[in-house]
């Protein structure tokens, strides 16, 4: 499997592994991914669901393509990529860089390379992915990002998709027990790669105060210096005038450790970002905030109601322009709760 980046795209590809193993229990799966996102796949390695995670650093290599270190790393990557002959190489990315990687992989006798034959709505696509494939598969243009990868692999390998996706990110019992014994924490995922996807800071503070009034603590993750500054500003606004800090800024964590931290939360409120998609993969109560009408493509899918209770869904998206209101996000949160009658209605704070 070739799915290099970015974080949200890698998360949306996780169910493909479980789909393949359900249909082909003896399958051996290797995954080529950008180095920065490899820690997310650690649970799949530990469980044996993925045999090898082959990492590359194309983003970094492009900055110094002729440097000795880049050449050495590229040669090592190529050697690992060609160490095993594959019965199938599936390019799930649809870009020139993923097409190059798929082409470099070594095929077993009778093996084939598979790729997308066309662009789908809202996704990036480049023609070389189709040119280097032995079989290019045409997809329905209006399709969710996760379903696109699942259907591509199902059609390439000839199996029927399970109705409910399994991300393979099971929360260890020890973490579940620890979460149950700790004060309930809500993670606020405010960071995103695009400024126009962000939610206003004053909204985070207002929403955080409402959660704190219900007895929750607020956790603030970050992945960059700018996001750290925002986390600190939100925490300062929430903790102002409080004898004890109820909002905490997490240290910067690797993706595997960050996933474990999120798994211990009572829920997540987040913008359209990779961490929000991890919350969905963990089946946490989650509200995803959209300033653009693109939740149909990347947001939580329907079908999580069974774990939340009759008529409920554990993850919801909220869309409005220029941005959803605090009230709308709070109402969505109440709808994600297993026992919504035990949670107070919105009471405007002074």
């Amino acid at each position: 499997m070739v799915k290099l980046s970015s974080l949200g795209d890698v998360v949306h590809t996780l169910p493909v592994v479980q789909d393949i193993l359900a249909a082909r229990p003896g399958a051996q799966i290797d995954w080529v991914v950008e180095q920065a996102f490899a820690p997310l796949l650690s649970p799949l390695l530990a469980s044996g669901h993925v045999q090898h995670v082959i990492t590359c650093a194309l983003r970094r290599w492009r900055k110094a393509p002729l440097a000795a270190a880049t050449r050495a790393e590229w040669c090592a990557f190529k050697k690992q990529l060609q160490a095993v002959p594959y019965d199938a190489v599936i390019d799930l990315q649809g870009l020139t860089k993923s097409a190059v990687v798929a082409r470099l992989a070594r095929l077993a006798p009778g093996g084939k390379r598979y790729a997308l034959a066309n662009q789908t709505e809202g996704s990036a696509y480049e023609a070389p992915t189709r040119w280097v494939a032995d079989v290019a598969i045409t997809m329905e243009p209006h399709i969710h990002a996760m379903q696109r990868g699942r259907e591509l692999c199902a059609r390439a390998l000839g199996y029927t998709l399970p109705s409910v996706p399994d991300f393979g990110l099971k929360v260890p019992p020890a973490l579940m027990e620890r979460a149950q014994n700790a004060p309930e924490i809500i993670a606020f995922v405010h960071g995103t790669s695009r400024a126009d996807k962000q939610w206003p800071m004053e909204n985070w503070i207002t929403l955080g105060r409402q959660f704190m009034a219900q007895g929750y603590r607020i956790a603030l993750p970050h992945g960059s210096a700018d996001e750290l500054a925002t986390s600190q500003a939100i925490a300062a606004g929430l903790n102002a005038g409080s004898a004890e800090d109820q909002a905490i800024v997490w240290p910067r964590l690797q993706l595997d450790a960050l996933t474990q931290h999120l798994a211990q939360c009572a829920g997540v409120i987040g913008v359209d970002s990779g961490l929000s998609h991890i919350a969905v993969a963990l089946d946490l109560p989650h509200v995803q905030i959209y300033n653009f009408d693109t939740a149909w493509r990347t947001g939580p899918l329907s079908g999580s109601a069974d774990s939340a209770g009759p008529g409920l869904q554990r993850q919801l998206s909220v869309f409005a322009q220029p941005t959803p209101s605090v009230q709308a996000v709070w109402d969505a949160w109440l709808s994600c709760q297993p026992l919504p009658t035990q949670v107070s209605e919105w009471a405007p704070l002074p």
Side-chain angles (χ1 to χ4, degrees), residues 186 188 201-212 217-220 231-242 244-248 349:
I186 304 296
F188 279 5
M201 186 180 299
E202 59 269 23
N203 287 8
W204 288 113
I205 294 173
T206 302
L207 182 66
R209 288 174 178 163
Q210 179 68 10
F211 272 110
M212 288 160 54
R217 300 182 70 192
I218 306 299
L220 296 154
S231 289
Q232 291 171 334
I234 294 172
L238 292 175
N239 292 327
S242 175
E244 181 181 356
D245 289 350
Q246 289 182 272
I248 54 173
L349 296 171

Side-chain angles (χ1 to χ4, degrees), residues 98-159:
S98 58
V100 170
V101 171
R103 182 64 182 177
L104 286 173
R106 183 158 62 99
L107 289 180
K112 292 183 179 180
R113 295 181 177 88
Y114 300 88
L116 297 161
N118 61 296
Q119 182 175 14
T120 58
E121 292 179 27
S123 66
Y125 182 81
E126 294 169 348
T129 191
R130 180 173 64 244
W131 300 339
V132 304
D134 299 304
V135 180
I137 298 173
T138 301
M139 305 298 297
E140 167 64 37
H142 190 82
I143 189 171
H144 192 279
M146 179 175 62
Q147 287 300 106
R148 181 181 68 171
R150 296 183 71 208
E151 289 192 18
L152 173 62
C153 287
R155 291 169 60 184
L157 302 180
Y159 59 80

Side-chain angles (χ1 to χ4, degrees), residues 53-78:
V53 173
I54 302 172
T55 62
C56 61
L58 297 178
R59 294 178 175 183
R60 176 165 54 81
W61 292 342
R62 282 199 299 263
K63 297 177 182 178
L66 301 179
T70 299
R71 296 199 304 271
E73 290 179 15
W74 171 259
C75 289
F77 165 67
K78 185 178 176 181

